[in-house]
Amino acid sequence: MNELPLAGPSSIPANAEASTTPASAPEQPLPGTHYYSVEYPGFVHPTSLQLAVERLGGQHALENAFHRPTGRDRVESLLELRLRPGNAYAHPVPAEIVPTSNIVLMIVKRKRRRVEGQAEDGAIGEYTVEAVGSVPKTARFRSMADFQYQPNMSDPVAKLRKAMDSMDVDGVLQYHIPPEQEQYTTTEADPSAMDIDPQLLGDGAGPSTNLNVRTKSNLRLFPPPLFSRQGIPQNYNYKANTASIETIVVDDDTGEEKKRLINRMRWRGLGPVSVSSTEKNVPTKPSSTVEEQRQQADKKILNRLDELFQERPVWTRTAIFNQFQPIEVREIINSKYLLPLVSYVFEDGPWRDTYVRFGYDPRQDPDARFYQRLYFRNVNHPIERPSVGARRQETRNESLQARFSGMNQRRSHIFDGETVTSDTAAFQLCDITDPMLKEMIDADDESSLRDVCHERDGWYTTHALACIKTVLRHKFFSLLLGHVATREECEKLLVPQDGTDKLRPRYRPKMFGKHNMAKGALPPEDAAAQRLITAVEQQRKTFPSR
């Protein structure tokens, strides 16, 4: 058996690789002559070359356009093509001078005679190519032509414009404003009309019938310097809205059926039905959009909400959330339709922003005075919005503080006069358990209650409600400052001013914050004390006592 030779060094010659490398193209010198190119938007015959140059403004306009620098000054390098150079109302077609790197080639073809009997190989003649120069700039017409409108040149305004262009002083002096005539249309001969024998038109054609006359506008409209600012065509891609469907609706008044387009992707509001305190009737069922979501609702939470509104017909948002576990509260907030399925809300009045059971009207029930809502705005609350991380950390600190201090967060809607759980006061009267306030709320004498519900004060008289607000406000803001208001302090506020029925204004200590900076800065010692109180409060929230 013959053994195959082992692999050894290559036997290819050393210069074989170099011989296979293609030779580089020969270098040719590029002449330094510069040419300028114009992409003329039309057919230019050699005999009409001079006319094309005149349409561009002449040789002088071409030289100025190409000799000016491009880039930031390209607006000044515009070249205009005027297809009607003598008409001042004809808008030109603009061109733009752009830098290019083109080469001008001169191609020469030399013909040769064909020998008789020789087959045609396609090459008839000899071609030579030579570079004669470069093209550093080119004029291109890429923008759209503007709209054209030709006014009546016999109008006095048109004659004035022509005289001003030619500096004709006599023509300018002869101009006068013609009298106004309410003749907005005129008739003129129609050159495109056909001459028809009147006998062919029938007996209905009278002597006034004239098909060779057309109506023309006489509004004396003159075109602006520019109709459109859009130079580049846009692909609008018009198409029908895919979310729109055609439906048939019936008119309630006439009973006529009409076709109407309805957007299937439109936003559907899942909020509760809201009414004003001036409306006579209250809603008895949710809106149709909310009712469609009933099958998707959590049955356990929905049944619990029905039970709560049967026990108590009016709730605040905080009070009803405190009746559920945190995971159930999250489901109520995320679903957006659980509360609107069982209640409606008042936009204003004594029960503003409360959830009311469908069919129940608190304006007709005197016992509904206990469900009235009082709200106080804390002007010392910081106006800056904390970051998401800061809010989360503050929530953790407050929950941790409540856990070690024994505070029940599910009682945040109740005001007992000794603890405060929020920087803002929004309580229903039935959720106030402070003894002094409870006595004032439960009062049923004639000086405290009304026979007819008031749109602002509800079932309480103005004086009685003002007293409740005064005491509640003083107790709440006293707790924010760190001390519990005594009964004597509140009774002093209920004493009317001398000679009037108005209550004494509550003393409001200035609290250091951005809201009070516009009203005047605190004294240095008060500002220092306030900063110390704020620091201690922050430390108390961050490191709760164990």
Side-chain angles (χ1 to χ4, degrees):
M1 180 181 294
N2 297 329
E3 295 182 359
L4 296 175
L6 297 176
S10 176
S11 59
I12 300 177
N15 58 353
E17 184 178 356
S19 62
T20 59
T21 303
S24 60
E27 295 183 0
Q28 299 291 338
L30 183 62
T33 307
H34 289 175
Y35 294 88
Y36 297 117
S37 173
V38 178
E39 298 179 358
Y40 195 85
F43 179 74
V44 180
H45 195 269
T47 58
S48 60
L49 180 60
Q50 187 63 28
L51 183 61
V53 174
E54 294 178 0
R55 294 290 188 267
L56 293 172
Q59 186 67 27
H60 182 69
L62 289 171
E63 293 179 357
N64 290 339
F66 282 110
H67 288 170
R68 289 177 180 174
T70 57
R72 295 183 178 179
D73 298 334
R74 61 182 179 180
V75 177
E76 300 179 359
S77 301
L78 288 178
L79 191 64
E80 293 181 342
L81 172 62
R82 297 184 178 273
L83 300 177
R84 291 179 290 176
N87 192 344
Y89 298 99
H91 295 174
V93 182
E96 186 177 2
I97 309 300
V98 296
T100 55
S101 300
N102 301 332
I103 300 176
V104 179
L105 300 178
M106 182 177 64
I107 303 176
V108 180
K109 174 184 177 183
R110 293 185 177 89
K111 294 183 179 181
R112 66 179 179 178
R113 295 183 180 180
R114 182 181 302 170
V115 181
E116 295 181 1
Q118 184 180 2
E120 297 182 2
D121 57 355
I124 305 176
E126 181 181 358
Y127 295 85
T128 59
V129 179
E130 179 185 0
V132 296
S134 60
V135 182
K137 295 181 181 181
T138 301
R140 293 177 178 175
F141 292 85
R142 293 291 188 267
S143 59
M144 296 185 297
D146 197 13
F147 299 99
Q148 307 291 328
Y149 179 80
Q150 179 62 33
N152 185 11
M153 298 305 295
S154 61
D155 191 273
V157 177
K159 294 181 179 180
L160 176 63
R161 169 68 184 274
K162 186 176 181 180
M164 295 176 65
D165 291 342
S166 60
M167 300 300 294
D168 185 3
V169 180
D170 296 336
V172 175
L173 295 177
Q174 290 177 1
Y175 172 75
H176 64 280
I177 301 177
E180 185 65 27
Q181 298 179 0
E182 296 184 1
Q183 184 180 359
Y184 304 120
T185 58
T186 58
T187 56
E188 64 178 5
D190 188 1
S192 61
M194 298 175 59
D195 295 333
I196 301 177
D197 189 353
Q199 296 181 359
L200 299 177
L201 299 177
D203 298 336
S208 61
T209 303
N210 190 356
L211 299 180
N212 297 333
V213 177
R214 66 178 181 181
T215 304
K216 183 180 179 181
S217 174
N218 192 30
L219 294 178
R220 302 178 60 212
L221 299 178
F222 288 86
L226 191 67
F227 277 109
S228 176
R229 297 180 299 174
Q230 191 70 25
I232 301 175
Q234 299 290 336
N235 185 15
Y236 291 100
N237 194 19
Y238 288 117
K239 61 180 180 180
N241 187 3
T242 56
S244 297
I245 58 175
E246 187 178 277
T247 58
I248 298 178
V249 296
V250 180
D251 192 348
D252 297 336
D253 298 333
T254 62
E256 181 182 358
E257 294 184 353
K258 297 181 180 179
K259 293 183 179 180
R260 182 180 178 183
L261 291 176
I262 296 180
N263 189 357
R264 296 177 298 176
M265 305 300 294
R266 69 185 185 276
W267 179 81
R268 298 183 178 182
L270 299 178
V273 181
S274 59
V275 297
S276 175
S277 60
T278 57
E279 297 183 21
K280 296 182 178 180
N281 301 324
V282 296
T284 58
K285 60 181 180 179
S287 62
S288 58
T289 305
V290 176
E291 186 65 31
E292 294 174 357
Q293 310 296 326
R294 185 178 292 273
Q295 299 299 328
Q296 306 177 9
D298 190 324
K299 303 302 180 184
K300 180 181 177 181
I301 299 179
L302 189 61
N303 294 335
R304 177 58 178 160
L305 286 173
D306 287 331
E307 294 176 0
L308 291 174
F309 277 96
Q310 291 299 328
E311 298 173 2
R312 171 174 160 181
V314 185
W315 294 81
T316 59
R317 186 181 180 89
T318 304
I320 203 166
F321 281 176
N322 287 340
Q323 313 305 314
F324 292 90
Q325 297 297 328
I327 189 173
E328 295 175 331
V329 174
R330 185 182 306 172
E331 175 64 21
I332 296 175
I333 296 175
N334 293 339
S335 63
K336 300 182 184 301
Y337 50 77
L338 284 171
L339 278 175
L341 280 172
V342 296
S343 61
Y344 68 95
V345 296
F346 271 100
E347 297 177 350
D348 52 7
W351 298 274
R352 176 185 175 183
D353 295 338
T354 57
Y355 291 88
V356 186
R357 184 183 64 206
F358 281 119
Y360 179 76
D361 191 353
R363 299 167 298 182
Q364 306 297 328
D365 184 12
D367 292 337
R369 67 181 186 274
F370 301 113
Y371 306 130
Q372 293 183 203
R373 176 176 176 268
L374 298 182
Y375 172 79
F376 302 117
R377 183 173 62 91
N378 186 2
V379 296
N380 297 292
H381 197 273
I383 61 174
E384 66 273 5
R385 184 178 182 181
S387 62
V388 177
R391 291 200 302 270
R392 291 176 179 174
Q393 184 63 31
E394 185 177 355
T395 303
R396 296 192 191 101
N397 295 338
E398 290 178 355
S399 61
L400 189 63
Q401 177 187 359
R403 184 186 307 173
F404 287 102
S405 62
M407 184 186 302
N408 188 359
Q409 286 293 330
R410 299 182 65 178
R411 292 177 56 85
S412 60
H413 63 288
I414 297 177
F415 181 76
D416 57 1
E418 298 179 355
T419 58
V420 61
T421 58
S422 176
D423 291 339
T424 56
F427 303 103
Q428 285 183 273
L429 297 183
C430 61
D431 293 330
I432 299 177
T433 60
D434 179 79
M436 182 176 181
L437 287 171
K438 192 67 175 175
E439 296 176 2
M440 302 170 65
I441 294 172
D442 294 340
D444 56 355
D445 53 342
E446 295 182 356
S447 61
S448 301
L449 300 181
R450 297 175 182 265
D451 296 333
V452 180
C453 180
H454 190 264
E455 62 180 7
R456 184 190 61 187
D457 301 329
W459 290 100
Y460 288 94
T461 60
T462 303
H463 178 74
L465 190 62
C467 292
I468 296 174
K469 287 182 178 181
T470 301
V471 176
L472 177 60
R473 184 185 294 109
H474 179 72
K475 285 179 171 290
F476 178 80
F477 287 105
S478 297
L479 291 176
L480 290 181
L481 294 176
H483 73 278
V484 179
T486 62
R487 191 181 186 93
E488 290 75 11
E489 294 178 7
C490 299
E491 290 177 350
K492 290 181 180 179
L493 296 175
L494 298 179
V495 177
Q497 299 181 11
D498 299 337
T500 63
D501 295 336
K502 296 183 180 180
L503 300 179
R504 297 181 181 274
R506 183 183 67 90
Y507 170 69
R508 298 182 179 180
K510 291 185 178 180
M511 300 179 65
F512 184 77
K514 289 189 175 181
H515 283 279
N516 288 328
M517 294 301 293
K519 302 177 183 178
L522 292 175
E525 58 276 8
D526 293 345
Q530 185 61 43
R531 287 195 297 269
L532 181 60
I533 295 175
T534 305
V536 172
E537 182 68 20
Q538 185 65 28
Q539 292 291 333
R540 186 178 64 84
K541 291 183 178 181
T542 306
F543 304 103
S545 59
R546 295 179 179 268

